[in-house]
């Protein structure tokens, strides 16, 4: 097993196998990789991250492929993280986003990584953002993250990007799917895909109506108003406009309060997820160790679940590492 | 929680059938694996690039068109070039016995012929990944 710390320099050199392995370690939440990922975090921050979401089948992967082609033509190296849901029954997943990106398969300037929602034992958000950092350090200038816009984790991950694109498609039943999925508000840019279809215009019109209703007319003009852009993978229309809108959003945010707020929100999300993951892991480990013994006191009803849980949580939450336990006087020591 | 086994299923060559691969993909997913499907008509280079980027445990290449003896040497050459020596390579499809022998000599870990029951595929893949150990 190659130590993760040795992978960092190889990631910086852009070596695909090293990038791949370090992403896997991040997904596994391997403690061994922590130092390496600490270094990655400090080295990252150069890449532009674009989040793309929308209901299933709305054309996200097709859009990612088209966008990537355009970016490649401008000489930008592109990393793609495509997240698909795991089966709730088996925990397994079929990850099919690559099928739509077949055209990009031979290009060394494109790195595509598929991720399953349950595949990351260290937490999905954690793994996805760490994967983005790893690709960033490996020299990919733009990183596109695709998730299905259902499920809180998936939506939050896409929100934690510099520019968020929400895709709606005609003919999927509900005209304004973003509303139903609760993702209307997170869009910096709205895309209506499949505009080669005759019913697409209705989706565009309804979406625009929804957006005007949503914005308070009397307010001062906000620094950014989400545009609605129609695209068609069949004719190729709209992708230049989309790229231009992404660039405009980047320029509006750069250096200004919009960008500062966004970066702080992303960092805050990152911190929350990291703390959550650490806490859950500690909780699981400590409970495996002490749970049965504590539960025994409950079976004879000499005490109650609230008191025992509070006692357990105090130990778990405030102990630096495993084995550290609070003494009766409140100080902790290593047992 | 241990990470699921990751496998890339790729179709190489000109034949346009992927019903079989899709059945296998579902069986593997139902056995708790993460299955990346790359679509039809992939070249050996594309398949290896994808397998490396995805850091799969197993690269499963399915072919019906009788091109195995030209495809697998290219796959192994490319894997070696990329330094991915711990990738488990499995072949699937239809082929004569002498090719099975030759492929195994070349480094293919298992040849799963077309009528192999899904349970057998699942158990064999688990076995191969367990034998390889942590990486
Ligand atoms: N007519 C038309 N069809 C499109 C267009 N874009 C995508 N499609 C089709 O829509 C279907 C879904 O496309 P994908 O790109 O896989 O959609 P997705 O949102 O990534 O799907 P999931 O990842 O499964 O949620 C495919 O059959 C595409 O061929 C378009 O611009 N026009
Ligand atoms: Mg997709």
């Amino acid at each position: 097993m190659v130590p993760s710390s040795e992978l960092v320099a190889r990631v910086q050199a852009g070596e695909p196998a090293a990038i791949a392995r370090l992403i896997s370690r991040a997904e596994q939440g391997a403690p061994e990789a922590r130092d390496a990922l600490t270094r990655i975090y400090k080295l990252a921050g150069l890449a532009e991250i674009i989040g793309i979401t929308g209901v299933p089948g709305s054309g996200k992967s097709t859009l990612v492929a088209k966008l990537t082609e355009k970016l490649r033509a401008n000489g930008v190296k592109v990393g793609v993280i495509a997240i698909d849901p795991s089966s709730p029954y088996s925990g397994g997943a079929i990850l099919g986003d690559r099928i739509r990106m077949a055209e990009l398969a031979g290009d060394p300037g494109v790195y595509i990584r598929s991720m399953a929602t349950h595949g990351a034992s260290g937490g999905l958000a954690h793994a996805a953002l760490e994967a983005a950092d790893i690709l960033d350090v490996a020299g990919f200038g733009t990183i596109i993250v695709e998730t299905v816009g259902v499920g809180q984790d998936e939506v939050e991950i896409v929100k934690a990007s510099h520019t968020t694109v929400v895709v709606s498609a005609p003919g999927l039943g509900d005209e304004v799917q973003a509303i139903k999925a609760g993702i209307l508000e997170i869009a910096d840019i709205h895309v209506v895909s499949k505009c080669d279809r005759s019913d697409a215009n209705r989706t565009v019109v309804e979406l625009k109506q929804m957006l005007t209703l949503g914005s308070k007319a009397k307010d001062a003009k906000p620094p950014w108003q989400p545009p609605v852009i129609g695209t068609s993978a069949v004719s190729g229309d709209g992708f230049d406009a989309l790229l231009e809108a992404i660039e405009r959003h980047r320029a509006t945010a750069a250096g200004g309060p919009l960008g500062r707020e966004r970066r702080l929100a992303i960092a805050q999300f990152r911190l929350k997820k990291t703390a959550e993951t650490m806490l859950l892991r500690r909780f699981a480990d400590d409970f495996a160790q002490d749970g049965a013994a504590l539960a025994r006191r409950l079976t004879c009803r000499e005490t109650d679940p609230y008191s025992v849980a509070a006692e357990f949580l105090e130990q778990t939450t405030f102990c630096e590492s495993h084995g550290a336990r609070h003494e009766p006087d409140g100080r902790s020591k290593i047992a | 929680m241990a990470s699921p086994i990751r496998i890339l299923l790729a179709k190489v060559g000109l034949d346009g059938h992927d019903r079989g691969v899709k059945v296998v993909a579902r069986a593997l997913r139902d056995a708790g694996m993460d299955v990346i499907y790359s679509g039809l008509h992939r070249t050996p280079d594309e398949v290896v690039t994808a397998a490396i980027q995805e850091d799969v445990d197993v690269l499963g290449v399915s072919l019906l068109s009788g091109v195995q003896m030209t495809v697998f040497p290219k796959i192994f050459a490319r894997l070696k070039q990329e330094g991915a020596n711990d990738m488990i390579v499995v072949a699937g499809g239809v082929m004569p016995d002498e090719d099975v022998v030759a492929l195994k000599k070349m480094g293919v870990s298992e040849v799963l012929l077309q009528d192999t029951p899904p349970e057998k595929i699942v158990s064999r893949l688990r076995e191969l990944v367990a034998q390889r150990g942590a990486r």
Side-chain angles (χ1 to χ4, degrees), chain A residues 56-62 84 97 100 146 148 194 196 232-234:
Chain A
S58 52
K60 301 176 293 293
S61 299
T62 308
D84 275 327
D97 295 316
R100 312 273 172 234
E146 173 190 338
V148 177
K194 311 188 191 184
D196 44 277
S232 165
V234 176

Side-chain angles (χ1 to χ4, degrees), chain A residues 24 90 93 95 98 111 114, chain B residues 3 29 33 35 52-55:
Chain A
S24 298
S90 70
L95 309 164
R98 261 185 185 271
Y111 192 111
S114 310
Chain B
S3 309
R29 176 200 59 196
M33 300 184 193
V35 185
I52 289 175
Q53 291 182 349
E54 300 285 2
D55 196 29

Side-chain angles (χ1 to χ4, degrees), chain A residues 28-72:
Chain A
Q28 289 152 7
E32 183 271 337
R34 186 159 149 185
D35 283 350
L37 294 170
T38 306
R39 269 158 62 209
I40 290 285
Y41 186 84
K42 290 177 187 159
L43 290 166
L46 296 174
E48 191 62 25
I49 314 226
I50 303 171
I52 297 193
T53 194
V55 299
S58 52
K60 301 176 293 293
S61 299
T62 308
L63 187 96
V64 171
K66 288 284 170 196
L67 211 54
T68 303
E69 263 173 49
K70 296 271 176 205
L71 287 162
R72 289 300 294 141

